[in-house]
Amino acid sequence: MINLFEVVETNKMIEQENLDVRTITMGINLLDCADADLEATKNKIYEKILSYAQNLVSTGEEISKEFGIPIVNKRISVTPIALVGGSCCKSSDDYVEIAKTLDRAAKDVGVNFLGGYSAIVSKGMTRSDELLIRSIPKALSETERICSSVNVGSTKTGINMDAVKLLGEVIRETAEYTKENDSLGCAKLVVLCNAPDDNPFMAGAFHGVSEDDAVINVGVSGPGVVKYALEQVRGANFEVLCETIKKTAFKITRVGQLVAQEASKRLGVPFGIIDLSLAPTPAVGDSVAEILEEIGLEKVGAPGTTAALAMLNDQVKKGGVMASSYVGGLSGAFIPVSEDQGMIDAVKAGSLTIEKLEAMTCVCSVGLDMIAVPGDTMASTISGIIADEAAIGMINQKTTAVRIIPVIGKNVGDTVMFGGLLGYAPVMPVNAFDCSAFVNRGGRIPAPIHSFKN
């Protein structure tokens, strides 16, 4: 039973502390849309998305209005398209046609993003996988709402370095294709290791093959709520600090659970998971970096940053799992540079570098995220960064990712405006030493010894 105090407390979190449900994401299985004929495949995809998701946006708005809970995004994730288009796509341009169909469906149902223009290539690439990957630059330049992801490694299989090399080139090409818009296409492309099947957040969302025909996954947020709670215990010891974070995460997750159950009931689609991730925005007071600074850092990137982030991540999970029976997705603290004002400020102040961000990704969700780098950064350097991040995920049995944006025409110190939730980013320096001989070796980095648990 919810009492009056809890109602008032939740209202305060919403009105003053930036609490929101970041996304309701409907996952839709498209495997049964596969057909040897491209036009037939496109028609089946469009019709299935509309049949399931036509009321997704209106339902989210109704729940938001009735319960007074801001629901920022309504999104769709679909089966990795490389699995769906294998029978009908004979060229990369055929995959671009499917991307356009997905984009039209997303627009017609009113969602802001659709994820799943994806391939899973952690052990090897089929011809279908490779065609889709090579189509990404054109697909992202000719659509508005499509997000793309490629999983290049896992703890069980190792890292597919052929795919890593290819994706460095694809990211560079995507930047060129969208250079008139500050290489924005790269902000909708993420390379993952150990990608989860039920992630509601973009750009890495796709509907895994082990999922139901359709599910509702919800991503909560609330960095501002956590920061406010910690301000009330400023100077207290770590025991008090941890208890405060856990209790706050519990309250945040309960709001997400309520929205997920209500959306599931109204849409007639099973509830999947709650993703516990603290997802920041460029808004003042809605920053993971500011939480870390409230814990005791002068600036994010200072000594102690990784330890503070590890503690935050762990306590968020401990509190969140008590609030929902089904927790999944990424479930941690996000550290995207462009989407977090505190991270932006730390980069400008010189306290936060790519190397320090890489260290931080060892203990949080998800990886090197929304990082702008000079437009002349070599494809092999991008591949090397992807390989480093994938290795962290593989060895530590966690999801890691790279969403990096080589902004054509921009150099270190310039600022890039992406707009909306994507925010803005200072262009960060990258290590200029060459790793091409490493990247060009080809083949696969084997799985670590501790992956053999059968």
Side-chain angles (χ1 to χ4, degrees), residues 65-393:
K65 185 176 180 180
E66 289 178 29
F67 290 89
I69 300 169
I71 301 172
V72 180
N73 299 299
K74 297 86 181 174
R75 297 168 170 172
I76 293 170
S77 63
V78 298
T79 308
I81 291 299
L83 300 176
V84 180
S87 299
C88 64
C89 292
K90 309 305 179 188
S91 68
S92 291
D93 284 342
D94 288 344
Y95 271 111
V96 174
E97 289 302 307
I98 291 183
K100 291 178 180 178
T101 299
L102 293 168
D103 198 49
R104 180 164 63 94
K107 182 178 180 180
D108 288 350
V109 299
V111 296
N112 67 319
F113 283 127
L114 184 151
Y117 195 74
S118 307
I120 313 299
V121 296
S122 53
K123 201 170 184 180
M125 282 186 289
T126 65
R127 174 168 169 73
S128 176
D129 292 325
E130 186 172 348
L131 286 175
L132 181 135
I133 292 170
R134 292 188 183 279
S135 78
I136 288 172
K138 189 174 181 181
L140 294 183
S141 70
E142 297 185 8
T143 59
E144 294 180 8
R145 308 182 189 213
I146 299 306
C147 289
S148 183
S149 61
V150 181
N151 190 77
V152 297
S154 75
T155 299
K156 280 289 187 182
T157 63
I159 302 170
N160 182 347
M161 289 300 294
D162 292 325
V164 169
K165 178 179 183 293
L166 176 59
L167 279 155
E169 298 163 1
V170 165
I171 290 170
R172 279 281 317 173
E173 191 177 349
T174 302
E176 290 283 354
Y177 264 81
T178 56
K179 64 182 179 182
E180 301 304 321
N181 200 14
D182 279 337
S183 302
L184 183 63
C186 296
K188 296 185 284 183
L189 168 60
V190 62
V191 184
L192 297 137
C193 178
N194 287 323
D197 285 353
D198 52 9
N199 169 23
F201 288 101
M202 301 296 165
F206 61 84
H207 186 70
V209 296
S210 63
E211 298 287 316
D212 209 330
D213 206 41
V215 295
I216 291 292
N217 297 322
V218 167
V220 296
S221 185
V225 181
V226 175
K227 180 177 182 293
Y228 178 81
L230 294 185
E231 288 173 355
Q232 311 314 303
V233 295
R234 188 172 289 166
N237 63 28
F238 280 107
E239 182 179 355
V240 173
L241 197 70
C242 292
E243 285 298 309
T244 302
I245 296 170
K246 281 194 297 183
K247 290 175 181 176
T248 306
F250 178 88
K251 295 170 187 175
I252 293 170
T253 307
R254 291 301 286 173
V255 172
Q257 176 85 356
L258 172 65
V259 169
Q261 290 176 334
E262 197 64 28
S264 172
K265 181 174 69 176
R266 296 187 187 194
L267 291 165
V269 173
F271 162 49
I273 57 92
I274 300 289
D275 188 312
L276 307 176
S277 300
L278 291 179
T281 71
V284 174
D286 200 25
S287 163
V288 170
E290 290 178 9
I291 296 174
L292 299 177
E293 289 165 7
E294 181 61 39
I295 289 173
L297 307 171
E298 179 183 1
K299 222 49 166 170
V300 169
T305 296
T306 305
L309 184 58
M311 181 196 66
L312 172 64
N313 214 44
D314 184 54
Q315 300 309 310
V316 166
K317 291 182 179 183
K318 286 174 177 173
V321 295
M322 291 297 293
S324 176
S325 298
Y326 298 100
V327 170
L330 303 170
S331 290
F334 287 176
I335 52 171
V337 172
S338 78
E339 299 173 15
D340 187 315
Q341 186 61 52
M343 296 289 178
I344 295 168
D345 293 342
V347 171
K348 288 181 175 179
S351 68
L352 190 59
T353 64
I354 289 178
E355 288 75 18
K356 184 59 177 178
L357 281 164
E358 182 182 301
M360 293 163 66
T361 65
C362 296
V363 299
C364 79
S365 301
V366 111
L368 297 173
D369 195 15
M370 288 302 293
I371 293 173
V373 297
D376 60 359
T377 302
M378 293 189 301
S380 59
T381 297
I382 295 170
S383 294
I385 291 169
I386 292 169
D388 284 344
E389 199 60 34
I392 290 171

Side-chain angles (χ1 to χ4, degrees), residues 156 451-454:
K156 280 289 187 182
S451 69
F452 304 118
K453 294 183 176 180
N454 291 338

